Amino acid sequence: MRLGTIAKCAALLLLLGFATGHLTAQERITIIMSHNVSYRTVKVDGLSIFYREAGPKDAPTLLLLHGLPSSSRMFEPLFARLSDRYHLVAPDYPGFGHSDWPDPKQFAYTFDHIAEVMNHFTEVMGLSRYTLYMQDYGGPVGFRMILAHPDRVEALIIQDAVAHNEGLGANWKTRRAFWADRAANESALRTNLLSLQTTRTRHLGDDPNLERYNPDLWTDEFYFLNQPGQGDIQSDLFYDYRTNVESYPKWQAWMREKQPRLMVIWGRYELSFDPSEPESYRRDVPKAEVHIVDGGHFALDTAADQIAVIVREFVGRSH
């Protein structure tokens, strides 16, 4: 049997195994066995930007943009499941993960600035066309990248990220107060956004099956949030989040006008955002695919197999 035929058979077995749950983790690794993840850094605007990369470089590219307080690490489950067919690239933003953490007095932690750095990252990496996968903070970063260079984006995958004011929900009261008066509400905001309990809840949501979650997920992130300078970095960036709300109408208008290929993935146990948000996207893009999966805000924690299948099918239809 020729190598190409073997690869096609392996991919089919992999897809069937993911869909049915019949493959063990070792069997999945054995079937993929093609493209190991590389962990590299590249200089962008004078900063060392860390990124993960896997898959054939001549394959369709997925650019994966992470959320708060995570990093490119959150996408490891997709790297393990999709790199046989797709080129995956996931950077850490400045101030996150293994990228540089410049002092907030020297670097403006705004979504405009981070999107600019990420656009320059794609240029340094030679990524001229890609499907954009956006989770949480990846939404406001990604939409800014889209409006700056719409020709680069083949399709959008939005996982638990908001582009409509109503999607923020009732639990954003403290956060809106912070935007209105930073000095008076800074302490309350840091507790609301950066505490261990909040970090844990971001993963668990209201999922009754807590035994499915590895506690390292939130203890590692909480450790990260308590590193020197992180409180100031995250507070500055979240203060700028108010500009996302102001920008929602522009993003909605772009979607309504361009009708991009769009898939929305939403965790059933999501508590960070309002459950109305997936249908808000479908009002903008009536042909959008919407998938409610068995997970929380970071749905890849528990629904990686299901998400990998639907992403594989969605991107595959574009090529």
Side-chain angles (χ1 to χ4, degrees):
M1 187 180 291
R2 288 168 37 173
L3 184 59
T5 304
I6 292 173
K8 290 177 182 177
C9 290
L12 178 59
L13 286 171
L14 181 67
L15 184 58
L16 290 173
F18 283 158
T20 62
H22 290 164
L23 295 182
T24 66
Q26 185 56 50
E27 286 169 336
R28 291 168 182 155
I29 292 171
T30 302
I31 289 174
I32 292 175
M33 68 177 190
S34 52
H35 305 286
N36 293 328
V37 180
S38 296
Y39 306 92
R40 302 188 178 101
T41 59
V42 64
K43 282 292 183 181
V44 180
D45 296 348
L47 300 172
S48 177
I49 298 298
F50 174 87
Y51 67 97
R52 298 163 201 258
E53 183 177 25
K57 292 189 177 182
D58 59 350
T61 297
L62 277 78
L63 179 63
L64 303 122
L65 301 178
H66 67 79
L68 166 79
S70 53
S71 68
S72 58
R73 177 184 171 183
M74 67 167 285
F75 294 115
E76 284 282 356
L78 290 184
F79 276 72
R81 291 161 171 82
L82 296 177
S83 62
D84 62 313
R85 184 176 298 180
Y86 298 114
H87 177 215
L88 283 76
V89 180
D92 290 350
Y93 309 139
F96 288 77
H98 297 289
S99 289
D100 279 348
W101 300 2
D103 189 317
K105 296 176 182 177
Q106 308 297 325
F107 181 91
Y109 282 95
T110 67
F111 286 91
D112 279 349
H113 198 180
I114 288 179
E116 179 183 3
V117 173
M118 290 295 100
N119 266 326
H120 292 165
F121 168 81
T122 65
E123 292 159 7
V124 171
M125 293 289 293
L127 304 178
S128 59
R129 292 283 287 171
Y130 43 78
T131 292
L132 200 54
Y133 190 120
M134 308 181 289
Q135 195 271 343
D136 189 66
Y137 273 13
V141 173
F143 274 112
R144 284 170 167 81
M145 294 175 68
I146 292 166
L147 265 60
H149 298 284
D151 54 305
R152 297 179 182 177
V153 181
E154 294 181 326
L156 306 181
I157 301 172
I158 296 173
Q159 182 206 312
D160 298 274
V162 168
H164 306 83
N165 190 39
E166 17 342 328
L168 296 181
N171 64 341
W172 283 66
K173 181 177 179 181
T174 299
R175 300 168 187 187
R176 292 181 189 274
F178 172 69
W179 300 335
D181 187 340
R182 179 172 183 173
N185 294 283
E186 179 102 26
S187 177
L189 180 280
R190 293 194 184 206
T191 299
N192 177 272
L193 188 70
L194 308 177
S195 69
L196 177 59
Q197 181 58 44
T198 300
T199 307
R200 179 176 182 269
T201 300
R202 263 191 291 263
H203 284 274
L204 300 179
D206 58 0
D207 191 338
N209 302 305
L210 303 186
E211 69 278 1
R212 301 193 302 157
Y213 294 83
N214 182 349
D216 291 346
L217 292 165
W218 54 87
T219 56
D220 286 358
E221 288 175 357
F222 187 63
Y223 174 81
F224 154 72
L225 289 171
N226 280 275
Q227 294 307 294
Q230 270 300 315
D232 293 339
I233 289 171
Q234 299 305 332
S235 182
D236 276 5
L237 186 56
F238 195 79
Y239 183 63
D240 190 66
Y241 200 101
R242 71 196 191 283
T243 66
N244 300 334
V245 181
E246 296 165 0
S247 298
Y248 288 165
K250 289 192 297 185
W251 306 345
Q252 295 161 23
W254 180 85
M255 287 188 285
R256 288 194 297 269
E257 178 186 352
K258 301 299 183 181
Q259 293 297 299
R261 290 197 67 244
L262 170 63
M263 181 167 70
V264 179
I265 301 168
W266 204 259
R268 188 183 315 278
Y269 306 110
E270 161 76 77
L271 287 183
S272 296
F273 299 131
D274 193 84
S276 65
E277 185 65 2
E279 290 305 318
S280 294
Y281 282 111
R282 189 136 56 184
R283 284 198 301 272
D284 295 328
V285 184
K287 291 184 179 180
E289 293 184 29
V290 173
H291 298 270
I292 309 300
V293 300
D294 193 27
H297 182 64
F298 294 102
L300 287 167
D301 291 349
T302 55
D305 286 353
Q306 180 184 359
I307 292 172
V309 169
I310 60 181
V311 169
R312 181 183 289 268
E313 293 174 347
F314 177 77
V315 179
R317 287 195 296 273
S318 299
H319 299 273

